Amino acid sequence: MSKVLILHHYEMSPFSEKVRAMFGYCNLEWQSVLTSAMPPRPLLLPLAGGYRRIPVAQIGADIFCDTRIISAEVATLTQRPKFAMPSLSADEQAYIEYLDSDIFSAAFSAISPLTLMSSLLRRMSPLKVFALIRDRLSMAKGGNLRRPSAKKALMIIRKQMQDLDQRVSNAQYLQGDSPTLADFSAFHSLWFYFAMTRTKPPSELSNFAAWYARIADFGHGKRQEISPESALDIAKKALPRAIPDSMREDENVGRRVQISPSDYGLVAVEGVLVGADSERLILAKTSEDLGEVNVHFPRHGYTLNVV
């Protein structure tokens, strides 16, 4: 079975940049499948079901949803355990969750509507910009992700830069001489903010600016573009990897279930639960065209319902 990781992503996706920067640091060989910034994604649908968010990763017939799980796969592939949440302390995990929720939300809210519109119009047609904004508003419905006001969000982002400046004042990265998952989680939302506002890290925050440049300079590793059809063919020719016995003990294993995010983009994926532990849920989906694929989700931040 091929061990090459495939990433389904689009260029301006903040969470995709988090993963791509990790690839760059590891100089990882990976395959890129570019998808649209919003549904419909007809060639991703057979792999990830109705999963709404990007990026999605793939190794053969195993599909990985959410950067929490994708990072764990990168940690295993590259033998860098500090890229996986379970290898980090409780304080480090809480900080990463704060970065991926509060700072992510503030980074979007801190961009003025006019600036955001102008930036998007440089990348896509007015019709697509309108559709994208409408899509993002619909994603938030029913979830628990709360965005601050623009004024408060800008204060949060400025304070975050100052905090990072202090955190890296005596080291190259947040935890010392090499980056951990926390560095990439701190980077990606600010990367999006700077890209959309066409600004740079403040020069007076020299420690932060140097840290940001180090992460940005990692690049994206050894990237090879492939078509969505090729990714489907790879999944069709592969078998999902074996489920560890330790993940077969959950009372819901063998039942038909639905799994969905609990914060935003609340579209459920349905299938048979084939594995579960404290960190991960694995759902089997079978189709006549594709055969069986296993879709992996984090336990944290997701809701499981028995059908």
Side-chain angles (χ1 to χ4, degrees):
M1 181 181 69
S2 173
K3 294 291 184 181
V4 176
L5 191 147
I6 301 168
L7 191 70
H8 300 259
H9 65 125
Y10 59 92
E11 299 293 1
M12 286 309 299
S13 160
F15 281 95
S16 295
E17 182 62 15
K18 173 182 178 179
V19 175
R20 293 187 299 244
M22 295 174 68
F23 293 169
Y25 175 71
C26 301
N27 198 28
L28 186 70
E29 292 186 15
W30 59 286
Q31 294 178 327
S32 162
V33 176
L34 291 174
T35 189
S36 65
M38 57 191 163
R41 302 182 182 116
L43 296 181
L44 184 57
L45 185 65
L47 296 173
Y51 183 68
R52 178 67 184 72
R53 307 195 305 202
I54 293 294
V56 170
Q58 173 187 350
I59 301 176
D62 284 275
I63 313 303
F64 307 99
C65 299
D66 197 284
T67 56
R68 191 180 183 110
I69 288 295
I70 297 172
S71 299
E73 292 299 314
V74 176
T76 299
L77 283 172
T78 64
Q79 298 184 352
R80 288 179 170 86
K82 290 294 187 178
F83 286 0
M85 286 285 267
S87 299
L88 303 175
S89 69
D91 287 345
E92 289 171 319
Q93 292 189 40
Y95 181 56
I96 289 168
E97 289 170 9
Y98 165 74
L99 294 170
D100 283 350
S101 57
D102 294 44
I103 297 301
F104 168 69
S105 180
F108 271 83
S109 298
I111 304 168
S112 74
L114 184 61
T115 298
L116 181 61
M117 184 75 70
S118 175
S119 183
L120 291 174
L121 284 170
R122 291 196 303 271
R123 295 172 169 86
M124 59 183 70
S125 70
L127 185 60
K128 286 188 175 180
V129 169
F130 174 76
L132 180 63
I133 292 173
R134 184 176 60 182
D135 176 74
R136 291 305 187 261
L137 291 173
S138 71
M139 279 184 73
K141 290 181 179 178
N144 58 23
L145 184 67
R146 298 292 178 261
R147 290 186 176 176
S149 67
K151 182 178 179 180
K152 184 176 181 180
L154 191 55
M155 291 175 60
I156 292 171
I157 291 303
R158 288 173 176 168
K159 184 177 179 181
Q160 171 66 3
M161 294 181 200
Q162 293 167 355
D163 177 67
L164 287 169
D165 192 68
Q166 290 296 315
R167 286 176 180 262
V168 296
S169 59
N170 295 311
Q172 287 194 317
Y173 302 102
L174 292 173
Q175 298 298 325
D177 294 332
S178 59
T180 71
L181 182 57
D183 290 274
F184 299 103
S185 294
F187 173 78
H188 76 279
S189 294
L190 295 175
W191 168 84
F192 182 80
Y193 173 79
F194 291 137
M196 290 293 106
T197 58
R198 304 178 76 179
T199 58
K200 296 180 180 180
S203 57
E204 64 271 20
L205 299 177
S206 57
N207 299 322
F208 165 67
W211 168 86
Y212 184 89
R214 278 192 288 273
I215 304 291
D217 286 346
F218 290 155
H220 293 161
K222 299 175 182 178
R223 171 174 170 171
Q224 177 193 3
E225 299 297 333
I226 66 170
S227 68
E229 291 84 359
S230 295
L232 285 172
D233 191 55
I234 288 169
K236 186 175 183 178
K237 291 178 179 177
L239 292 173
R241 65 194 186 196
I243 305 295
D245 290 340
S246 61
M247 296 190 72
R248 297 181 180 274
E249 298 173 0
D250 188 280
E251 63 179 0
N252 290 318
V253 168
R255 295 181 176 179
R256 193 158 192 85
V257 301
Q258 291 182 338
I259 298 174
S260 60
S262 56
D263 48 4
Y264 68 97
L266 312 183
V267 179
V269 180
E270 185 172 325
V272 176
L273 189 70
V274 292
D277 60 17
S278 61
E279 293 292 329
R280 184 179 302 225
L281 301 167
I282 306 176
L283 197 69
K285 290 174 67 276
T286 304
S287 67
E288 187 173 326
D289 292 337
L290 201 59
E292 183 173 317
V293 296
N294 282 353
V295 189
H296 301 237
F297 299 90
R299 171 80 75 168
H300 178 82
Y302 284 73
T303 301
L304 182 149
N305 292 308
V306 176
V307 178

